Amino acid sequence: MKVLIVLSEWGYWGEELIGPLETFDAAGYQVDFATPTGKRPVAISVSMNATYVDPPLGRTVVSQEMADKVRAIDDPRKPRLNNPKNLREWMPERPYWSSPKFIREMEEYYRKLDQLKATDLQQYDTMLIVGGAGPMVDLVNNFRIHDLVLSFYQMGKPIAAECYGVPCLAFARDIGDRRSIIWGKHVTGHCLEYDYKDGTGFMGENVNPNLGSINFGPPFYPLEYILRDATGPEGGYHGNVGKETSVIVDYPFITGRSTPDSYMTGQKVVEVLEQGLRRYGW
């Protein structure tokens, strides 16, 4: 099996990569990584800090063991995350509606998407979008991410997402009918009760390294509301507030609520691929 893992360049949550990645490694899967512009992804600093207390939960959420694992893979001297696929170069650019050659450019755009589905994307059995605050900046409203998700969906391949990576699925829409591909589906994702009132942080080239991240206060949007609206009356959002874990499988989607669900999300992907799992958690 081969997995494509998509990561933000503005800060992924460490365990949300480590959990699925260790699970895929143990299953013997091959893994490729991709980022929006081909830069090496970086972990949010607090996701490798064992003393960090998560404000909504009122407790630490990173074990020392996990902090060490995240710090190790985030170390620029370690090569595993070097040279991720560059989605800006890999996926075609959608033309502006005002382009003077709009029809011809759209034809070429669709041609390139069809070619990718017939060639490069055939090698992958599934994809995973890792969560954290960073996806809000460069993944959630990125049409290339949407096209990647739509391509996997149209090819009948399972698609997994965690935490603030899940809204990428909500906004993955065919530009013809513009209905979310999770309409009528059951998903989970970061719930309102677990959102920060302050302290949503991002990594970036212009951020003071002594601070580790830049604070944008609360998240840009309440993710739960987006998912409730995107799934529609025949689907459903499941926050499972108070339960330690929340992973939902409604094929072809596997969604994990937050950090504690990372390993289970990876495990459910394996069960979908190898055991034919189609429904779990609802």
Side-chain angles (χ1 to χ4, degrees):
M1 298 290 181
K2 193 169 186 179
V3 184
L4 180 65
I5 296 182
V6 180
L7 293 150
S8 169
E9 297 170 9
W10 285 82
Y12 65 88
W13 191 275
E15 187 169 348
E16 294 180 24
L17 170 62
I18 296 295
L21 184 58
E22 286 191 348
T23 305
F24 299 152
D25 286 347
Y29 293 179
Q30 292 180 266
V31 177
D32 284 347
F33 301 97
T35 60
T37 67
K39 293 179 182 177
R40 193 181 197 276
V42 292
I44 296 175
S45 54
V46 294
S47 74
M48 46 185 149
N49 180 354
T51 66
Y52 174 71
V53 175
D54 185 80
L57 296 178
R59 59 174 173 80
T60 57
V61 292
V62 182
S63 69
Q64 186 59 57
E65 178 186 13
M66 181 55 63
D68 293 341
K69 289 180 178 181
V70 177
R71 195 171 292 109
I73 200 169
D74 191 61
D75 187 336
R77 296 170 297 181
K78 301 293 179 64
R80 188 157 194 192
L81 295 181
N82 289 348
N83 304 312
K85 290 183 177 295
N86 183 339
L87 290 174
R88 182 177 291 176
E89 294 178 351
W90 197 24
M91 305 295 293
E93 182 174 11
R94 183 185 301 167
Y96 274 111
W97 304 101
S98 60
S99 170
K101 298 180 179 179
F102 174 73
I103 297 298
R104 300 289 84 76
E105 290 174 355
M106 282 298 289
E107 290 172 347
E108 180 63 15
Y109 163 74
Y110 281 125
R111 244 191 317 270
K112 288 180 177 178
L113 282 176
D114 288 341
Q115 184 178 22
L116 274 172
K117 285 184 282 188
T119 56
D120 290 19
L121 299 184
Q122 285 291 337
Q123 65 185 300
Y124 297 106
D125 297 283
T126 186
M127 66 172 288
L128 167 71
I129 303 171
V130 174
M136 285 188 275
V137 178
D138 61 357
L139 298 186
V140 171
N141 194 30
N142 184 330
F143 72 83
R144 288 185 171 90
I145 300 293
H146 303 162
D147 284 343
L148 184 65
V149 170
L150 283 167
S151 295
F152 273 71
Y153 179 73
Q154 292 160 359
M155 296 169 74
K157 298 176 184 283
I159 303 161
E162 303 170 279
C163 191
Y164 268 81
V166 180
C168 295
L169 310 183
F171 294 127
R173 304 172 182 225
D174 182 272
I175 59 175
D177 64 27
R178 308 195 185 190
R179 175 175 287 188
S180 173
I181 58 173
I182 60 171
W183 184 266
K185 290 294 185 177
H186 292 259
V187 300
T188 190
H190 213 266
C191 53
L192 192 64
E193 290 83 353
Y194 295 171
D195 277 345
Y196 291 4
K197 291 190 295 182
D198 184 40
T200 303
F202 305 93
M203 309 301 293
E205 293 178 350
N206 299 320
V207 175
N208 184 336
N210 296 319
L211 296 177
S213 66
I214 185 169
N215 178 12
F216 273 81
F220 296 164
Y221 45 78
L223 172 56
E224 176 178 335
Y225 293 168
I226 289 174
L227 297 180
R228 286 188 181 278
D229 291 348
T231 50
E234 302 301 322
Y237 165 82
H238 305 268
N240 290 318
V241 177
K243 295 183 179 180
E244 290 188 356
T245 58
S246 178
V247 176
I248 300 293
V249 178
D250 190 357
Y251 193 85
F253 304 111
I254 305 103
T255 51
R257 180 182 62 196
S258 191
T259 305
D261 312 293
S262 304
Y263 282 91
M264 184 183 290
T265 300
Q267 182 57 43
K268 293 307 171 188
V269 171
V270 171
E271 292 176 20
V272 165
L273 291 173
E274 297 189 8
Q275 301 174 20
L277 180 67
R278 292 296 182 267
R279 172 174 174 157
Y280 175 85
W282 56 282

